[in-house]
Amino acid sequence: MFGSMAVYAATVPADSAPDEETAAVQQLTTDAQLLSTSSSDSNVEEIAIGLAISAVLTGAVVYGIYRGYKHNGKTEPYPYNKKAPLELKISEDILIDTNVERRKIERDNN
Amino acid sequence: MEAVSYKCINCVAPLIYSAEKQKFTCEFCRSDFTESELKKYWGEIEDQLEQDAQPEESPAVDEFNSGAGLYVCQSCGAEVIAEKTTAATFCVYCHNPVLLSNRMAGEFKPDMVIPFKISEEEAKQKFYDFCGKKKFLPKDFLSSAQLDMMKGVYYPYWLVNSLKDGSLSATAKKVRKWKDKNYEYTETKTYRVKRAGRIDFKGYPCSALQSEDKNAMKYVNPYDDNELKDFSMAYLSGFLAEKRDTERTDVQSAVDGELKDYAQKIYRETINGYDSVTVDNVNVSTVQESWKYAMMPVWLMTFKYHDKDYLYAMNGQTGKNYGELPCDTRKLGLFGVGMFVVLAALVIFGGLFLL
């Protein structure tokens, strides 16, 4: 606000009438208030985003740690590759259909 | 009812099976014996026990109707009460091993056993190493009193050898794309795929105890079947043991379903080189099947935390762990709050600094 007053001192002509002066001061004050409101709004927004990111990251880490305590050791109980050998008697791969789709490539003429 | 203890040939003290030495050991005179030495000395007696022991039919109804049985300890003469599925335990008075031979007689006599290979000290150390990295366990979880509660138990399993014939039909697709100056082309080739053959399932394990945690009994597997030995009650000495409470017919359909799922996986893995495969049909039929009843070693520990029971199981042969560990949510919550504060400070001030 003081900065804007200094700007006012530099921009309001010295010979301007009192009514014009008052209106100009009011306009500058309103502009300054708008500026400070919008910058504090954006600070609050940044803080909120920061808090949200922190909360999400923390939640993911805590959940991951908690899950790590559950169901440890749930690996394949029967090694079927070693203990269930397959003797393959029929192995057929018969082509039954071939389908070709064509799509025109959209070009940007500009 | 009949309860036996295998006794030292030299000093007649009770023998226990040592996982460390893989021999039968006397804790009093420090003698060690192999199975063949014991059989040579006690063999006739074991055969005699098997002849004399009557398989337990319906257990006598006790006041709690639990099927528990009453036994007499051969060492101190105390009466020992055992749950209906208990086959080996310890006398609560003199702590000598007690083997309930009736419960392992007749059709309930196991065919095979894998003796313990991991000793109690090793099991505790492995458990400690497993838990050591976890920072949010409850305070007394790793106390020596808790670790002392770890018990070696022989659990009953059905081992199924099953020869299956089967087939799998599927639809598979290959997709190829290319383009020229004006058009993009997508070619999709569709195949009818068939695989058929014989699968020889060897030693498929199925828990033969209804009452226990199914996941624990499943995921302590696999065991190394090369170390399967002919069953002898002497191997149970020094450990707890449970006898089976299921018949083959009780679990046949579950085993058939599981083997069918494995068959599908096995056939499916022979179909390669496609972008997508959809299984249409799987048929499996049994050519030949044999079932064996085996006792497998497991180290077990239970822990109660916030009114919930946690079970930890370790394969007594290979050391494979399975279990759900309790998490101290208060400690974890405090860590979460601390992490949130630090992260928030970094993100907010770091962001403002950059701007």
Side-chain angles (χ1 to χ4, degrees):
Chain A
M1 195 172 164
F2 293 110
S4 59
M5 293 297 283
V7 166
Y8 156 70
T11 55
V12 174
D15 57 353
S16 57
D19 288 337
E20 284 175 2
E21 208 175 294
T22 312
V25 167
Q26 278 176 351
Q27 183 61 39
L28 278 169
T29 309
T30 309
D31 288 347
Q33 279 173 351
L34 274 173
L35 259 174
S36 68
T37 308
S38 64
S39 73
S40 68
D41 275 350
S42 71
N43 276 345
V44 168
E45 202 177 296
E46 280 156 17
I47 289 169
I49 292 171
L51 287 173
I53 292 170
S54 307
V56 166
L57 282 173
T58 302
V61 168
V62 166
Y63 180 72
I65 291 172
Y66 185 74
R67 282 289 297 173
Y69 283 65
K70 308 289 171 193
H71 304 301
N72 292 283
K74 223 176 181 181
T75 54
E76 178 56 64
Y78 183 66
Y80 57 89
N81 288 325
K82 286 182 201 168
K83 290 178 115 177
L86 166 66
E87 188 192 323
L88 204 57
K89 292 178 180 170
I90 298 171
S91 179
E92 287 174 0
D93 294 66
I94 300 169
L95 178 64
I96 55 173
D97 185 48
T98 304
N99 182 39
V100 180
E101 283 178 11
R102 191 178 71 167
R103 189 179 71 87
K104 194 172 171 71
I105 298 171
E106 307 261 334
R107 296 230 183 260
D108 184 2
N109 292 324
N110 296 326
Chain B
M1 284 194 226
E2 190 72 33
V4 297
S5 294
Y6 281 81
K7 295 201 182 346
C8 174
I9 294 169
N10 295 333
C11 69
V12 206
L15 284 173
I16 60 168
Y17 183 77
S18 164
E20 224 167 356
K21 299 176 192 174
Q22 293 286 289
K23 284 184 178 180
F24 299 90
T25 189
C26 175
E27 291 184 312
F28 291 89
C29 69
R30 306 278 186 212
S31 303
D32 297 324
F33 305 99
T34 61
E35 188 193 347
S36 53
E37 284 167 344
L38 277 185
K39 269 193 177 160
K40 198 174 161 186
Y41 193 86
W42 295 104
E44 289 176 7
I45 298 175
E46 185 164 329
D47 292 340
Q48 189 64 41
L49 270 176
E50 282 181 28
Q51 284 169 24
D52 291 348
Q54 298 298 319
E56 208 173 41
E57 292 166 4
S58 335
V61 174
D62 59 320
E63 63 179 289
F64 301 107
N65 201 20
S66 64
L70 201 62
Y71 297 83
V72 175
C73 173
Q74 292 254 304
S75 296
C76 67
E79 284 181 336
V80 178
I81 295 175
E83 300 278 341
K84 65 178 177 181
T85 54
T86 300
T89 184
F90 294 90
C91 173
V92 293
Y93 298 97
C94 66
H95 204 65
N96 277 324
V98 169
L99 305 174
L100 312 178
S101 54
N102 288 59
R103 290 191 170 173
M104 293 268 165
E107 62 174 316
F108 288 97
K109 185 186 171 191
D111 300 303
M112 322 283 290
V113 63
I114 291 182
F116 270 89
K117 207 169 178 185
I118 294 189
S119 65
E120 188 174 353
E121 287 70 35
E122 273 179 83
K124 286 178 183 173
Q125 185 57 47
K126 280 184 184 291
F127 176 72
Y128 194 80
D129 294 340
F130 174 66
C131 295
K133 295 167 199 167
K134 304 218 182 287
K135 308 288 178 211
F136 300 100
L137 292 167
K139 200 171 56 172
D140 49 357
F141 188 69
L142 290 176
S143 65
S144 51
Q146 178 62 38
L147 288 177
D148 283 344
M149 291 172 68
M150 191 173 285
K151 297 281 175 260
V153 187
Y154 279 100
Y155 269 110
Y157 282 87
W158 289 110
L159 293 181
V160 183
N161 290 336
S162 186
L163 192 60
K164 303 264 190 208
D165 266 341
S167 65
L168 177 143
S169 312
T171 306
K173 291 187 179 178
K174 278 187 195 172
V175 178
R176 186 169 69 103
K177 290 186 178 180
W178 71 94
K179 53 185 169 188
D180 60 23
K181 200 171 162 193
N182 298 312
Y183 293 94
E184 187 179 83
Y185 300 87
T186 303
E187 178 194 70
T188 305
K189 287 187 176 179
T190 305
Y191 293 80
R192 189 176 61 232
V193 175
K194 185 172 180 184
R195 299 286 185 268
R198 187 162 275 195
I199 304 176
D200 190 7
F201 290 96
K202 292 189 179 67
Y204 181 77
C206 172
S207 172
L209 201 60
Q210 276 182 351
S211 51
E212 287 303 317
D213 186 315
K214 291 261 182 283
N215 276 339
M217 302 331 301
K218 183 176 174 184
Y219 290 110
V220 288
N221 280 285
Y223 287 88
D224 180 2
D225 288 356
N226 292 326
E227 294 184 12
L228 272 168
K229 295 184 192 305
D230 288 334
F231 179 76
S232 168
M233 281 209 77
Y235 287 111
L236 309 186
S237 192
F239 301 97
L240 301 170
E242 297 285 312
K243 75 161 199 179
R244 65 176 174 86
D245 61 0
T246 58
E247 298 297 327
R248 174 179 166 172
T249 46
D250 298 331
V251 296
Q252 178 79 61
S253 60
V255 168
D256 286 344
E258 286 163 20
L259 290 182
K260 188 177 178 183
D261 290 341
Y262 274 111
Q264 179 171 336
K265 253 193 240 184
I266 290 166
Y267 289 128
R268 173 67 184 84
E269 283 177 4
T270 63
I271 303 172
N272 299 306
Y274 295 99
D275 296 297
S276 71
V277 177
T278 308
V279 173
D280 297 322
N281 191 29
V282 180
N283 288 311
V284 174
S285 62
T286 305
V287 175
Q288 196 180 315
E289 202 164 77
S290 68
W291 289 55
K292 289 208 187 295
Y293 171 27
M295 301 296 277
M296 307 295 215
V298 182
W299 286 104
L300 276 185
M301 192 173 75
T302 55
F303 184 81
K304 202 176 184 84
Y305 182 69
H306 286 171
D307 293 327
K308 188 179 169 185
D309 287 324
Y310 291 85
L311 177 72
Y312 167 82
M314 182 196 293
N315 185 313
Q317 181 198 35
T318 64
K320 182 176 182 281
N321 297 301
Y322 172 81
E324 185 182 340
L325 296 172
C327 181
D328 189 339
T329 45
R330 192 175 146 272
K331 243 194 249 180
L332 186 61
L334 285 172
F335 167 79
V337 167
M339 186 179 171
F340 173 74
V341 166
V342 168
L343 265 180
L346 278 171
V347 170
I348 291 166
F349 292 115
L352 291 174
F353 175 74
L354 284 170
L355 286 172

